[in-house]
mmCIF file of all heavy atoms in Angstrom:
data_model
loop_
_atom_site.group_PDB
_atom_site.id
_atom_site.type_symbol
_atom_site.label_atom_id
_atom_site.label_comp_id
_atom_site.label_asym_id
_atom_site.label_seq_id
_atom_site.Cartn_x
_atom_site.Cartn_y
_atom_site.Cartn_z
ATOM 1 N N PRO A 272 188.564 64.489 218.332
ATOM 2 C CA PRO A 272 188.626 65.956 218.479
ATOM 3 C C PRO A 272 188.875 66.378 219.921
ATOM 4 O O PRO A 272 189.439 67.452 220.168
ATOM 5 C CB PRO A 272 187.253 66.436 218.009
ATOM 6 C CG PRO A 272 186.371 65.241 218.012
ATOM 7 C CD PRO A 272 187.252 64.038 217.838
ATOM 8 N N ARG A 273 188.459 65.542 220.875
ATOM 9 C CA ARG A 273 188.631 65.918 222.289
ATOM 10 C C ARG A 273 190.091 65.844 222.718
ATOM 11 O O ARG A 273 190.500 66.527 223.652
ATOM 12 C CB ARG A 273 187.724 65.072 223.165
ATOM 13 C CG ARG A 273 186.297 65.557 223.002
ATOM 14 C CD ARG A 273 185.260 64.704 223.641
ATOM 15 N NE ARG A 273 183.949 65.314 223.427
ATOM 16 C CZ ARG A 273 183.229 65.213 222.294
ATOM 17 N NH1 ARG A 273 183.692 64.498 221.279
ATOM 18 N NH2 ARG A 273 182.070 65.840 222.168
ATOM 19 N N ILE A 274 190.867 65.018 222.042
ATOM 20 C CA ILE A 274 192.305 65.015 222.321
ATOM 21 C C ILE A 274 192.878 66.371 221.878
ATOM 22 O O ILE A 274 193.673 66.995 222.593
ATOM 23 C CB ILE A 274 192.992 63.844 221.580
ATOM 24 C CG1 ILE A 274 192.516 62.502 222.160
ATOM 25 C CG2 ILE A 274 194.511 63.969 221.646
ATOM 26 C CD1 ILE A 274 193.121 61.272 221.498
ATOM 27 N N PHE A 275 192.424 66.842 220.715
ATOM 28 C CA PHE A 275 192.904 68.145 220.226
ATOM 29 C C PHE A 275 192.423 69.289 221.118
ATOM 30 O O PHE A 275 193.143 70.257 221.333
ATOM 31 C CB PHE A 275 192.449 68.363 218.778
ATOM 32 C CG PHE A 275 193.209 67.520 217.786
ATOM 33 C CD1 PHE A 275 192.738 66.273 217.404
ATOM 34 C CD2 PHE A 275 194.413 67.964 217.253
ATOM 35 C CE1 PHE A 275 193.441 65.484 216.500
ATOM 36 C CE2 PHE A 275 195.122 67.185 216.349
ATOM 37 C CZ PHE A 275 194.641 65.941 215.973
ATOM 38 N N MET A 276 191.190 69.156 221.643
ATOM 39 C CA MET A 276 190.681 70.204 222.545
ATOM 40 C C MET A 276 191.486 70.217 223.840
ATOM 41 O O MET A 276 191.840 71.271 224.348
ATOM 42 C CB MET A 276 189.215 69.950 222.882
ATOM 43 C CG MET A 276 188.260 70.382 221.822
ATOM 44 S SD MET A 276 186.586 70.256 222.490
ATOM 45 C CE MET A 276 185.995 68.870 221.615
ATOM 46 N N ALA A 277 191.747 69.021 224.367
ATOM 47 C CA ALA A 277 192.410 68.918 225.667
ATOM 48 C C ALA A 277 193.784 69.579 225.639
ATOM 49 O O ALA A 277 194.154 70.309 226.560
ATOM 50 C CB ALA A 277 192.528 67.452 226.073
ATOM 51 N N ILE A 278 194.522 69.353 224.566
ATOM 52 C CA ILE A 278 195.879 69.925 224.531
ATOM 53 C C ILE A 278 195.802 71.437 224.339
ATOM 54 O O ILE A 278 196.573 72.186 224.941
ATOM 55 C CB ILE A 278 196.770 69.219 223.474
ATOM 56 C CG1 ILE A 278 198.194 69.751 223.538
ATOM 57 C CG2 ILE A 278 196.231 69.328 222.088
ATOM 58 C CD1 ILE A 278 199.186 68.971 222.700
ATOM 59 N N ARG A 279 194.847 71.916 223.556
ATOM 60 C CA ARG A 279 194.794 73.364 223.345
ATOM 61 C C ARG A 279 194.229 74.094 224.560
ATOM 62 O O ARG A 279 194.670 75.181 224.923
ATOM 63 C CB ARG A 279 193.990 73.659 222.073
ATOM 64 C CG ARG A 279 194.127 75.078 221.546
ATOM 65 C CD ARG A 279 195.574 75.535 221.406
ATOM 66 N NE ARG A 279 196.312 74.920 220.337
ATOM 67 C CZ ARG A 279 196.458 75.413 219.120
ATOM 68 N NH1 ARG A 279 195.913 76.562 218.806
ATOM 69 N NH2 ARG A 279 197.171 74.780 218.221
ATOM 70 N N LYS A 280 193.268 73.449 225.231
ATOM 71 C CA LYS A 280 192.702 74.073 226.442
ATOM 72 C C LYS A 280 193.578 73.826 227.657
ATOM 73 O O LYS A 280 193.322 74.372 228.722
ATOM 74 C CB LYS A 280 191.324 73.477 226.749
ATOM 75 C CG LYS A 280 190.239 73.891 225.798
ATOM 76 C CD LYS A 280 188.892 73.388 226.305
ATOM 77 C CE LYS A 280 187.763 74.090 225.604
ATOM 78 N NZ LYS A 280 186.479 73.429 225.774
ATOM 79 N N GLU A 281 194.529 72.931 227.514
ATOM 80 C CA GLU A 281 195.373 72.511 228.640
ATOM 81 C C GLU A 281 194.478 72.023 229.785
ATOM 82 O O GLU A 281 194.603 72.438 230.933
ATOM 83 C CB GLU A 281 196.274 73.658 229.097
ATOM 84 C CG GLU A 281 197.117 74.225 227.969
ATOM 85 C CD GLU A 281 198.296 75.042 228.446
ATOM 86 O OE1 GLU A 281 198.344 75.364 229.641
ATOM 87 O OE2 GLU A 281 199.181 75.320 227.613
ATOM 88 N N ASP A 282 193.581 71.122 229.432
ATOM 89 C CA ASP A 282 192.573 70.682 230.399
ATOM 90 C C ASP A 282 192.185 69.237 230.072
ATOM 91 O O ASP A 282 191.843 68.935 228.924
ATOM 92 C CB ASP A 282 191.359 71.615 230.269
ATOM 93 C CG ASP A 282 190.276 71.283 231.281
ATOM 94 O OD1 ASP A 282 190.438 70.315 232.047
ATOM 95 O OD2 ASP A 282 189.255 71.986 231.267
ATOM 96 N N ASN A 283 192.216 68.388 231.100
ATOM 97 C CA ASN A 283 191.909 66.969 230.852
ATOM 98 C C ASN A 283 190.408 66.671 230.704
ATOM 99 O O ASN A 283 190.021 65.570 230.337
ATOM 100 C CB ASN A 283 192.520 66.087 231.953
ATOM 101 C CG ASN A 283 191.986 66.429 233.337
ATOM 102 O OD1 ASN A 283 190.889 66.955 233.468
ATOM 103 N ND2 ASN A 283 192.768 66.120 234.371
ATOM 104 N N THR A 284 189.547 67.679 230.983
ATOM 105 C CA THR A 284 188.100 67.417 231.009
ATOM 106 C C THR A 284 187.547 66.805 229.710
ATOM 107 O O THR A 284 186.794 65.836 229.775
ATOM 108 C CB THR A 284 187.325 68.715 231.359
ATOM 109 O OG1 THR A 284 188.030 69.385 232.369
ATOM 110 C CG2 THR A 284 185.912 68.418 231.772
ATOM 111 N N PRO A 285 187.872 67.357 228.525
ATOM 112 C CA PRO A 285 187.260 66.775 227.320
ATOM 113 C C PRO A 285 187.530 65.277 227.190
ATOM 114 O O PRO A 285 186.635 64.508 226.820
ATOM 115 C CB PRO A 285 187.924 67.543 226.171
ATOM 116 C CG PRO A 285 188.413 68.823 226.769
ATOM 117 C CD PRO A 285 188.735 68.517 228.203
ATOM 118 N N ILE A 286 188.739 64.847 227.520
ATOM 119 C CA ILE A 286 189.062 63.422 227.394
ATOM 120 C C ILE A 286 188.345 62.618 228.481
ATOM 121 O O ILE A 286 187.724 61.588 228.204
ATOM 122 C CB ILE A 286 190.591 63.192 227.463
ATOM 123 C CG1 ILE A 286 191.264 63.884 226.277
ATOM 124 C CG2 ILE A 286 190.926 61.694 227.496
ATOM 125 C CD1 ILE A 286 192.773 63.796 226.249
ATOM 126 N N LEU A 362 199.210 59.869 223.891
ATOM 127 C CA LEU A 362 197.799 59.581 224.188
ATOM 128 C C LEU A 362 197.271 58.511 223.232
ATOM 129 O O LEU A 362 196.636 57.544 223.648
ATOM 130 C CB LEU A 362 196.969 60.867 224.065
ATOM 131 C CG LEU A 362 197.301 61.941 225.114
ATOM 132 C CD1 LEU A 362 196.689 63.280 224.731
ATOM 133 C CD2 LEU A 362 196.806 61.514 226.484
ATOM 134 N N LEU A 491 199.317 68.199 229.727
ATOM 135 C CA LEU A 491 198.664 68.839 228.586
ATOM 136 C C LEU A 491 199.070 70.300 228.427
ATOM 137 O O LEU A 491 198.699 70.953 227.453
ATOM 138 C CB LEU A 491 197.143 68.753 228.757
ATOM 139 C CG LEU A 491 196.594 67.319 228.865
ATOM 140 C CD1 LEU A 491 195.163 67.330 229.385
ATOM 141 C CD2 LEU A 491 196.668 66.602 227.516
#
Side-chain angles (χ1 to χ4, degrees):
R273 286 171 179 80
I274 293 180
F275 287 92
M276 280 189 252
I278 185 171
R279 194 50 71 94
K280 288 187 164 165
E281 305 198 348
D282 183 358
N283 60 25
T284 319
I286 297 177
L362 294 167
L491 301 165

